[in-house]
Amino acid sequence: MISRAELSVPRDTVRDMVFTVGGGWPMIAEWRWIRSDLRARRMQATLTVLAVAGIVAALVTAATLLEEGTNPWRGLFTRGHGAHVWIHTKDAPDISALGSLNGVTEIAGPYLSAPATLAGSGRKVPVALQEAPTALPKVATPLLTEGRWLDPADPDGVVVERSFAAATGLRPGSAFTVTGLNGATHALFVKGIAESGDQGFYPDWAPGLAWTLRQTLTLVEPASGRSENVTGLRLADPEDTNLVVQQAVTALAGQVQRISTWREVRASMELDNRLLGLLLALFGAAGLVGAALALANATGGRVLGQLRDLATLKSLGFTPRQVSTMLLAEHGLLGLLGILIGLAAGHVITAATLRVPPSPGQLAAIGLGTILIVLIAVWLPAWRGGRTAPIPAAPAIPPHGRLSRLARLALLVRLPPALVLGTRDAFTRRVPAVLTSAGLALPMMMITIGLGCWATLDDFAKNPAKVGQAAALSVRPGDLTADEARVRAMADPAVAAVYPGVELDALAPGQTRTVRTRALGSSTAPYPFHVAEGRMFRERGEAVAGQGLLDLLSVRVGDRVRLTIGGTPLIVHIVGRVVEPEQDGEVLSFGIDTLAAKDAVPPHFFALVLKDGADAQEVRARLQGLEVTEAVNPADRLAVIRVIIIALIVVLALIGLANLLTASALGLRDHVRDLAVLQAMGLTPRQVMATLVTGTGILAVLGVLSGATAGALLSRSLIDWEGHGSGVGAGIGRAPTPTTLTAAILIAVSAALLVALIPARRAARARVPVTAG
């Protein structure tokens, strides 16, 4: 007769299994065993499912963000049959010469384009009016999302690009006023809203874009010298972009003012999403490894805890393959359930927050990859379980051997007996001990890296000058002259310094694309950029650059670069690298006196550095009559990372909790016979409890400390590596503060000890009979 003490499943289940196996239906018996075992450990099974689900949901969200980082451009560009290259010239270019270039298949335009200022809601915003035909063009087609296209019957109607319309609050039917460079105002209204894959999202890509009829454009800007022509080229092979641009610049013989390509538009649309996606992917991948360790540890622990039960099954007629398959199916089902929940949660999250559900291919790839990792993680302990000897009466005694060095140290320093015994028990089984510590170290490492990301965002917010935002406000003259605007800004008591600035597009060396140049301050009184490498410019012809520009031009600090601005060659000496969050870091900055007079006078804007403690909103309110723009800190743009970090910490904590429960259960199972001996020796329940908690607690402390140390060492370099890859540049990463790191370690260790304390307390108070072994 099989007793209940020998089996971890109900006696009725054993009787049914005996009948079932004898009746020739082993699959039913296996299912009954799996169901009973899962009922016996519901909490551990639930935590395993939730941990896998959280990791899969993070992976789905990361993959969607990474894919969506490129797909907005790709989808818009494909549906709009976009142009790969846009050439800006003063006069209409020779279309036949452009059409004959090798690789050019279709041409958009040329279209007239003129700058204007949109006035509304108490502010003035620069806008580019671009000519468009009355019928939607075949190349670079704006994609209407609301309203209707341009109609000669409504000459005052314009179609506004969607992101610009959202930023300015414009809707179909909205009336607004534009002001041309001659100061004349014109009343227009929004006829439609459209998307485009030929220009990035506003405000990252400025000025805003509005399509108008030619007659409307010439009414707003009648002077031909103040407008330009834009021509789009669609290529047979997008990889030939640089070659085609070189040929176009040569064919147009100096007419080209600036050039933009599909690569710039794609990069403009993908920056923030890729940062979030890479962060999620890093956490998700590390979490998946942690979940695999947790599953392997849980399966191994269950096999060790079920040796008698498995031996009984073998004696009842189960083959090794059936036992292994049963264990693999049980833990594989937990992983599969977690995967299904995670896929559903990831689909809901991405559809609700990004409004773009993940593709079926993404879901299938993540689901199949995760289930493969889960099966690999549980296969080895399941295989070991299948090799259990069919001797149901044989007790499973934990392995014995030499005392660990830590246990010897505990004896030497004369710790209490309960702690010495607990220290010995921690490393009774070496492989589970390593898996437990590693299963805690990896989540703790990722949590520490997440805290490093949090600390980096806090540093952005507290020290905006370190990310190139020493000026909290920028002022454009508007209706005033540049000198009047400067005097007006300097008169405010909260303004510490005013730096004149000009932003111009320049043709890069080889004239294959356009880069942003920023003249800010002067060589003798430069804008206070944060220089991460090299030094600040001090003379005319010296400049500092963002990491993205250095990578783009394949140059280093100390090199000289030749640019073309408005047809005028400009040679600058790059003397430093700055942290540059704008334009993917593809910005070159120098003193305004480095520019030719025709480009530097008058300044386009003034950057205002405020005194310590000054409120930017109050200063902005006082500067009525000027076009004042407040700087957007990268910490505000990436604020959602904080929410992501909190969610991932919860998931990683679940993984660590599942590992601890496994370690506690295995420790109790290994030393259940010792409990009776300890009680017979006179140890109190509190001392017995201390023995059990010490064994699990030592593994937890080792895992937490090693993970926190690794995370603290890696967090700064990983953030700098990501900053370098995104063009912002290295030098932005911050490790968690000592206070934050200490608090995280104490919380993790306390939580681990609390988890180990609950089952230890219950076991220590139980009366365990001494049985013959």
Side-chain angles (χ1 to χ4, degrees):
M1 187 71 177
I2 302 173
S3 68
R4 178 68 182 89
E6 293 175 331
L7 290 174
S8 61
V9 296
R11 183 180 299 175
D12 293 342
T13 302
V14 176
R15 184 181 64 250
D16 293 342
M17 290 174 63
V18 173
F19 173 78
T20 304
V21 174
W25 297 93
M27 290 301 295
I28 298 177
E30 292 171 8
W31 168 246
R32 288 176 175 173
W33 171 266
I34 292 172
R35 183 180 60 185
S36 298
D37 188 48
L38 291 178
R39 286 178 177 175
R41 56 186 192 99
R42 293 178 181 178
M43 179 59 70
Q44 188 176 0
T46 301
L47 288 174
T48 301
V49 170
L50 291 178
V52 174
I55 293 301
V56 171
L59 288 174
V60 170
T61 308
T64 306
L65 281 168
L66 288 170
E67 181 73 11
E68 180 62 12
T70 298
N71 265 353
W73 170 83
R74 182 182 297 143
L76 293 173
F77 191 85
T78 301
R79 288 187 287 123
H81 202 60
H84 295 92
V85 178
W86 283 96
I87 302 175
H88 298 248
T89 57
K90 195 63 178 176
D91 301 316
D94 186 350
I95 297 301
S96 61
L98 293 176
S100 62
L101 296 178
N102 186 28
V104 176
T105 59
E106 296 175 274
I107 296 179
Y111 302 124
L112 276 179
S113 177
T117 301
L118 183 151
S121 302
R123 60 176 180 169
K124 297 180 179 180
V125 182
V127 59
L129 301 178
Q130 181 172 308
E131 173 195 357
T134 55
L136 286 170
K138 294 182 179 179
V139 180
T141 308
L143 304 170
L144 276 173
T145 58
E146 298 180 64
R148 302 177 64 183
W149 185 243
L150 301 173
D151 188 346
D154 296 319
D156 295 333
V158 299
V159 175
V160 183
E161 192 272 327
R162 183 182 62 82
S163 62
F164 181 59
T168 53
L170 297 176
R171 296 287 184 271
S174 298
F176 61 94
T177 301
V178 295
T179 305
L181 294 181
N182 59 3
T185 59
H186 305 271
L188 303 176
F189 74 94
V190 179
K191 191 170 181 63
I193 306 293
E195 295 179 316
S196 174
D198 296 286
Q199 176 164 318
F201 297 138
Y202 183 87
D204 292 331
W205 193 288
L209 176 63
W211 293 273
T212 69
L213 296 173
R214 187 183 185 94
Q215 64 190 79
T216 307
L217 190 147
T218 54
L219 180 65
V220 176
E221 187 49 74
S224 59
R226 293 173 177 169
S227 59
E228 64 178 2
N229 285 266
V230 291
T231 307
L233 306 180
R234 186 169 176 85
L235 311 181
D237 185 359
E239 298 304 320
D240 293 337
T241 298
N242 290 348
L243 177 60
V244 172
V245 170
Q246 290 177 346
Q247 294 174 350
V249 172
T250 302
L252 296 180
Q255 298 182 51
V256 177
Q257 293 185 311
R258 62 187 180 95
I259 293 173
S260 63
T261 69
W262 61 274
R263 292 191 180 97
E264 297 169 58
V265 180
R266 183 183 65 177
S268 174
M269 291 184 176
E270 73 182 1
L271 174 61
D272 288 351
N273 275 2
R274 285 191 63 82
L275 288 172
L276 297 177
L278 288 172
L279 178 66
L280 276 174
L282 177 63
F283 274 87
L288 189 57
V289 174
L293 288 174
L295 285 169
N297 203 9
T299 308
R302 291 305 297 167
V303 169
L304 291 173
Q306 293 171 322
L307 287 180
R308 282 191 175 189
D309 300 350
L310 297 178
T312 301
L313 294 179
K314 295 289 287 294
S315 66
L316 293 176
F318 276 75
T319 66
R321 176 177 296 181
Q322 287 175 321
V323 173
S324 298
T325 302
M326 182 177 65
L327 292 171
L328 189 64
E330 176 182 355
H331 296 280
L333 283 175
L334 293 178
L336 180 59
L337 180 59
I339 290 170
L340 294 177
I341 296 175
L343 292 176
H347 187 282
V348 171
I349 291 172
T350 53
T353 58
L354 303 177
R355 298 182 180 178
V356 179
S359 65
Q362 288 177 346
L363 294 177
I366 292 173
L368 292 176
T370 308
I371 193 62
L372 181 62
I373 292 176
V374 167
L375 293 178
I376 292 175
V378 302
W379 174 80
L380 181 59
W383 174 76
R384 292 177 60 188
R387 299 184 64 189
T388 303
I391 308 175
I397 301 176
H400 297 281
R402 296 180 180 179
L403 289 176
S404 65
R405 293 179 180 178
L406 194 60
R408 294 179 186 179
L409 180 62
L411 283 173
L412 288 176
V413 298
R414 297 183 180 277
L415 290 179
L419 299 183
V420 174
L421 292 173
T423 305
R424 176 188 67 87
D425 294 344
F427 300 96
T428 300
R429 297 186 185 275
R430 300 294 175 87
V431 174
V434 171
L435 287 177
T436 299
S437 291
L440 288 173
L442 190 60
M444 189 63 197
M445 181 184 72
M446 296 311 302
I447 288 173
T448 306
I449 292 174
L451 294 176
C453 294
W454 194 294
T456 300
L457 293 180
D458 285 344
D459 190 57
F460 286 177
K462 295 177 182 177
N463 303 291
K466 291 185 178 181
V467 285
Q469 293 188 337
L473 300 173
S474 63
V475 172
R476 294 184 181 273
D479 297 331
L480 304 178
T481 66
D483 289 338
E484 291 172 340
R486 181 178 180 278
V487 171
R488 178 83 178 276
M490 283 295 298
D492 192 286
V495 175
V498 176
Y499 297 93
V502 174
E503 287 190 345
L504 298 169
D505 290 323
L507 288 174
Q511 297 185 327
T512 58
R513 62 165 294 177
T514 302
V515 297
R516 178 65 56 85
T517 62
R518 180 195 294 125
L520 196 54
S522 65
S523 298
T524 56
Y527 177 83
F529 289 104
H530 177 68
V531 181
E533 179 183 352
R535 62 174 177 83
M536 175 57 67
F537 54 82
R538 294 193 292 259
E539 299 178 1
R540 292 183 59 186
E542 293 184 343
V544 293
Q547 184 66 56
L549 184 75
L550 298 177
D551 294 339
L552 174 68
L553 303 181
S554 299
V555 296
R556 296 179 298 178
V557 173
D559 291 344
R560 295 182 183 274
V561 177
R562 184 182 187 276
L563 305 171
T564 303
I565 300 178
T568 303
L570 176 66
I571 300 177
V572 295
H573 180 207
I574 301 177
V575 297
R577 176 181 67 82
V578 296
V579 176
E580 181 57 71
E582 302 297 331
Q583 300 287 321
D584 296 349
E586 297 177 1
V587 181
L588 184 71
S589 302
F590 41 75
I592 199 168
D593 50 341
T594 296
L595 286 175
K598 68 180 182 66
D599 298 319
V601 180
H604 295 174
F605 64 92
F606 294 93
L608 308 186
V609 176
L610 306 183
K611 295 179 180 178
D612 292 340
D615 190 321
Q617 293 286 351
E618 294 179 359
V619 176
R620 181 177 184 176
R622 290 196 294 265
L623 295 176
Q624 292 293 334
L626 296 174
E627 298 177 19
V628 184
T629 303
E630 190 170 353
V632 179
N633 195 294
D636 297 331
R637 293 165 52 191
L638 300 175
V640 68
I641 287 182
R642 300 183 191 271
V643 180
I644 292 173
I645 290 173
I646 294 174
L648 290 174
I649 286 176
V650 172
V651 174
L652 293 169
L654 287 176
I655 294 175
L657 185 59
N659 265 301
L660 281 173
L661 286 177
T662 300
S664 298
L666 183 59
L668 289 176
R669 183 258 170 207
D670 272 346
H671 302 289
V672 66
R673 293 163 54 86
D674 296 344
L675 294 179
V677 176
L678 295 176
Q679 292 173 353
M681 292 172 56
L683 267 70
T684 65
R686 180 172 296 180
Q687 291 174 316
V688 174
M689 183 172 59
T691 300
L692 298 175
V693 172
T694 301
T696 305
I698 288 176
L699 299 179
V701 170
L702 289 177
V704 168
L705 289 179
S706 59
T709 302
L713 294 175
L714 290 175
S715 61
R716 188 165 186 169
S717 58
L718 283 175
I719 296 170
D720 281 341
W721 172 77
E722 172 55 31
H724 184 284
S726 64
V728 175
I732 61 174
R734 295 291 178 270
T737 63
T739 302
T740 302
L741 188 59
T742 302
I745 292 174
L746 292 177
I747 292 173
V749 171
S750 300
L753 295 178
L754 182 61
V755 170
L757 180 64
I758 297 174
R761 186 183 180 205
R762 185 169 58 248
R765 293 180 179 275
R767 304 301 301 176
V768 182
V770 180
T771 59

